[in-house]
Amino acid sequence: MTRVLALLMIAVSLPLAAGSALVFTKWLPDDVARYEDYRASERCPSRSTPEAWWEDCLREVELTVVDTVVKSGGKSSEYTATVDGKRFHGERLHGKQFHGVLDFGDPGPLLRTLEAGDRAVGTVWRGDIVALTKDGVRQKTSDEPRDEPQMIAAAGAGLGLLAVLGLVFGTVRLLAPRHSGPFTWKGSGKGLLVTSVVATFGVGLPAVWLGLPWQFVAPVIVAVVLGAGVLLLGGGHRGSAVPGAR
């Protein structure tokens, strides 16, 4: 049974490692590049006629509010606005009617004031409505690119650490099931798992709030977990060595 669990731990660590690699090689670079492109975007020429819904410039379109949902309740929170308006169809503008739901991260400052029938202006970039404006009040939608790569880097580091834990603990228990020492769930596994999760969010979220460089996030998380590993594994080793000395 111990060997089966060890093999399972090793097997689970492989997709976690792949996920960590994808975060740093695909998700994070793409997110940073998308935000930089958005920040560098200029308004589309006012008299230009768009040929496609997907544009690199910022274009404003008139929208009519159909319905709004402002529901606060923790995980069940919902902040949306259903809008209608002309949009691009295929590769050219044919005046087709667009009907869609815009997601927001919070109710204000605009969403809470909107009512059915209100006219608003949507800012479009690369096919997404990234902001809604009415009477000078502007609110970003959830589709607007954000400068928050810190949490993505934290997620990649967290996945990588979980992969390492699964691989190391699984390998030790597979090769030496009766002499795994501190490499057990009660020995240090639980503490390292909790430390990895806490470090991921405990470093990632403050880094986002403070606007710290994302390049420092992963090294700090790894350092925290390594420090915890030294303490837990070292303590476990000393604890297991005592009975043997008798």
Side-chain angles (χ1 to χ4, degrees):
M1 186 63 179
T2 300
R3 294 186 183 276
V4 173
L5 291 176
L7 289 173
L8 181 60
M9 292 171 66
I10 294 174
V12 171
S13 70
L14 298 180
L16 291 174
S20 177
L22 284 175
V23 168
F24 287 108
T25 61
K26 179 65 176 176
W27 184 11
L28 182 58
D30 287 355
D31 188 82
V32 172
R34 184 170 183 265
Y35 174 75
E36 291 177 349
D37 290 345
Y38 175 69
R39 186 176 61 176
S41 297
E42 299 180 353
R43 291 189 177 278
C44 301
S46 57
R47 296 183 180 180
S48 66
T49 301
E51 295 186 354
W53 178 246
W54 196 99
E55 295 179 296
D56 269 318
C57 56
L58 300 172
R59 185 175 296 279
E60 294 185 342
V61 296
E62 292 186 357
L63 300 169
T64 300
V65 178
V66 177
D67 186 28
T68 61
V69 177
V70 178
K71 180 182 178 183
S72 301
K75 295 182 179 180
S76 62
S77 297
E78 184 178 358
Y79 307 108
T80 63
T82 303
V83 295
D84 271 334
K86 293 182 178 180
R87 70 162 294 173
F88 304 102
H89 181 71
E91 295 184 353
R92 296 199 176 272
L93 181 64
H94 295 297
K96 297 291 184 179
Q97 195 73 8
F98 164 69
H99 183 87
V101 178
L102 307 181
D103 291 313
F104 296 86
D106 51 65
L110 178 62
L111 181 61
R112 63 165 65 96
T113 68
L114 293 177
E115 297 179 356
D118 285 349
R119 302 287 294 177
V121 175
T123 301
V124 183
W125 182 74
R126 290 188 177 179
D128 294 323
I129 297 178
V130 297
L132 198 64
T133 306
K134 179 180 179 292
D135 297 334
V137 180
R138 185 178 188 273
Q139 184 170 352
K140 305 172 183 178
T141 70
S142 298
D143 288 322
E144 185 191 55
R146 284 170 169 76
D147 185 24
E148 298 177 350
Q150 298 91 342
M151 202 58 219
I152 299 177
L159 288 175
L161 287 170
L162 292 179
V164 171
L165 290 178
L167 183 61
V168 172
F169 277 65
T171 301
V172 170
R173 292 178 67 83
L174 181 64
L175 299 179
R178 296 184 179 180
H179 304 281
S180 54
F183 292 92
T184 61
W185 174 252
K186 293 182 179 180
S188 62
K190 181 179 180 180
L192 286 174
L193 177 62
V194 172
T195 301
S196 298
V197 174
V198 171
T200 297
F201 290 95
V203 175
L205 290 176
V208 172
W209 300 332
L210 298 175
L212 301 178
W214 65 265
Q215 292 87 346
F216 293 100
V217 172
V220 172
I221 293 175
V222 172
V224 170
V225 177
L226 281 178
V230 171
L231 294 175
L232 292 171
L233 293 174
H237 176 72
R238 290 191 296 271
S240 61
V242 172
R246 295 179 179 178

